[in-house]
Amino acid sequence: MTDIYIDADACPVREEVYRVAARTGAGVLVVHNGSRPIRPPGQPGVRVVIVPDGPDAADDWIAEHITADDICVTGDIPLAKRCLDRGARALDHKGQAWTGDNIGNALAGREIARHMRETGMGGGGHAPLARADRSRFLVALDVAVTAARRGPAVKIGPAPDHQ
């Protein structure tokens, strides 16, 4: 069975995930640190996982539990990479599917942006989600659920040691 893991503390598309899950029968795990209340709908298959407060606690929990049959919805590029390394699929909030072909450039761009912020050259953050972004996300999540049910994504992590 395919589960959709939501990195929920800063996720603006939770309602869209719930709609897709209800339509497709996918399970949903809403993972967050409990710092603010998140009320999922009262629909079957939706579970809330509250992790201890701390840096990357939700990311660590997701990365440890996600499988190749699953999808992670996150705006956190390093978490998306960790999920890809486990053979899972990952989407950002605007419907960008992370793959082995694009995650490296995204990580590099993230580092450049961090450096620019640290040196005072950074911008003002991300633009708010538009209706078109939400629509694109819904389509991408439907595609990801269908693909996950056909079989696991290609794992991009390091090759296993052969002795």
Side-chain angles (χ1 to χ4, degrees):
M1 168 146 153
T2 297
D3 286 325
I4 304 167
Y5 288 69
I6 302 175
D7 182 12
D9 286 323
C11 181
V13 290
R14 286 190 305 269
E15 295 301 321
E16 287 81 357
V17 173
Y18 302 148
R19 287 195 341 227
V20 170
R23 186 173 58 253
T24 63
V28 177
L29 291 102
V30 182
V31 184
H32 68 105
N33 65 14
S35 63
R36 58 184 186 148
I38 294 178
R39 298 186 194 278
Q43 73 189 52
V46 176
R47 293 185 326 167
V48 174
V49 178
I50 298 177
V51 298
D53 197 17
D56 299 325
D59 297 358
D60 292 342
W61 192 94
I62 291 169
E64 290 168 11
H65 290 86
I66 199 162
T67 71
D69 295 328
D70 300 328
I71 302 158
C72 181
V73 175
T74 184
D76 185 311
I77 298 168
L79 173 58
K81 168 76 165 80
R82 291 172 72 186
C83 292
L84 293 175
D85 287 346
R86 298 272 309 219
R89 289 171 170 76
L91 296 175
D92 77 0
H93 306 137
K94 292 185 177 184
Q96 167 72 52
W98 297 113
T99 67
D101 292 336
N102 65 14
I103 197 74
N105 285 340
L107 286 166
R110 179 179 181 273
E111 276 304 303
I112 290 168
R114 182 191 58 76
H115 177 72
M116 290 177 69
R117 280 191 309 276
E118 288 176 355
T119 59
M121 298 186 302
H126 299 288
L129 239 49
R131 177 176 278 153
D133 297 324
R134 291 180 187 280
S135 178
R136 201 171 20 259
F137 174 79
L138 283 166
V139 170
L141 186 55
D142 270 324
V143 168
V145 169
T146 300
R149 289 188 169 153
R150 276 190 256 153
V154 176
K155 188 174 177 182
I156 65 164
D161 291 335
H162 296 287
Q163 297 182 16

